[in-house]
Amino acid sequence: MLTIRKSQERGYADHGWLKSFHSFSFAGYYDPAHMGYGNLRVINEDRVAAGAGFGTHGHKDMEIISYVLSGELAHKDSMGNVKGIPPGDVQRMSAGTGVMHSEFNHAEGQTTHFFQIWIEPNQRGVAPGYEQKSFAEADKRGALRLVASPDGAQGSVLIHADAAMYAGLFDGSEAASIALDPARKAYVHLVRGAIEVNGEALKAGDAALLAGDALLQLRGGQDAEVLFFDLAA
């Protein structure tokens, strides 16, 4: 079964320096029908103004992934990591027993556009951890590139969760398909452009929620960037 959730159905917050769309209940946006999907708890699409950002704050027992589309995100945490996250990089932070961090946009005159994703862990109380890897555009072109997984397969970042995250770029005749376990859940978020998911049309910001399906097919992309999640039910 495939269900489409339109972009405009997401929660939205405008804090001036931060404009954020929430796919699931978060902060001031609460919708009991959208508390997450499987073990996927948060997908926030954030645009952070130049010279602004999230001050130091804490997390615990959550796998947090940042995926930057444009600009650069400056990250600093209590583990001693001070990093810049450019487009093409995937950052994983395992909050575990507890971590403090901040995120800022130091680029003058440039908005940082990124996704922050939270996945519920299957191991609680782990030591906090950090990992950041770059994934070439060529590896995502016309394909679903594994970027996060429970075992770090194919050079992906390692998450302490029963989930996998893929990224893909599709345009024109480019297409991809991947077998699904009908006992699990699948979630496709269209970051930009347009694409067909199992024959259903999605536009930027839309999502496809799949349950009980055995196959995912992506085709008909128009400058499309896709995030796909294989999730515990």
Side-chain angles (χ1 to χ4, degrees):
M1 183 179 69
L2 184 153
T3 303
I4 295 177
R5 188 166 188 228
K6 294 293 187 180
S7 174
Q8 62 268 26
E9 296 173 7
R10 296 180 291 174
Y12 180 68
D14 185 346
H15 300 286
W17 64 273
L18 170 67
K19 295 176 173 57
S20 185
F21 286 97
H22 306 311
S23 293
F24 305 114
S25 294
F26 187 87
Y29 167 60
Y30 175 72
D31 182 346
H34 296 98
M35 299 298 295
Y37 192 67
N39 51 349
L40 179 61
R41 177 60 188 86
V42 167
I43 297 184
N44 289 346
E45 180 180 2
D46 293 339
R47 290 175 172 85
V48 181
F54 303 90
T56 301
H57 59 284
H59 296 282
K60 186 177 181 181
D61 284 328
M62 192 65 70
E63 296 295 301
I64 301 170
I65 297 171
S66 295
Y67 186 91
V68 178
L69 299 176
S70 62
E72 184 165 310
L73 190 66
H75 168 97
K76 184 177 182 181
D77 64 42
S78 54
M79 295 177 281
N81 297 296
V82 180
K83 302 282 188 178
I85 310 170
D89 277 21
V90 173
Q91 178 220 58
R92 179 269 299 174
M93 188 174 70
S94 297
T97 54
V99 66
M100 304 292 290
H101 79 136
S102 62
E103 298 154 300
F104 274 87
N105 172 15
H106 295 305
E108 187 175 346
Q110 187 175 10
T111 297
T112 292
H113 182 194
F114 79 107
F115 279 77
Q116 185 164 104
I117 296 147
W118 295 8
I119 301 176
E120 295 176 5
N122 57 1
Q123 303 173 53
R124 295 186 177 272
V126 301
Y130 183 96
E131 191 177 11
Q132 182 175 333
K133 291 188 175 182
S134 182
F135 296 90
E137 182 173 316
D139 292 341
K140 295 179 282 188
R141 175 58 56 196
L144 287 170
R145 172 64 163 97
L146 183 66
V147 297
S149 68
D151 57 1
Q154 301 174 33
S156 60
V157 300
L158 188 150
I159 54 175
H160 301 284
D162 182 11
M165 173 179 162
Y166 299 74
L169 302 169
F170 300 91
D171 195 47
S173 62
E174 294 170 340
S177 62
I178 190 168
L180 302 176
D181 181 347
R184 295 174 63 80
K185 290 186 175 182
Y187 189 94
V188 178
H189 189 95
L190 184 58
V191 172
R192 59 183 169 91
I195 203 165
E196 291 182 7
V197 176
N198 289 6
E200 297 289 336
L202 268 66
K203 295 183 179 179
D206 293 350
L209 293 71
L210 297 93
D213 294 79
L215 185 67
L216 171 67
Q217 293 181 308
L218 303 175
R219 58 180 296 178
Q222 301 172 36
D223 189 30
E225 185 164 5
V226 172
L227 297 178
F228 158 59
F229 300 86
D230 173 22
L231 303 163

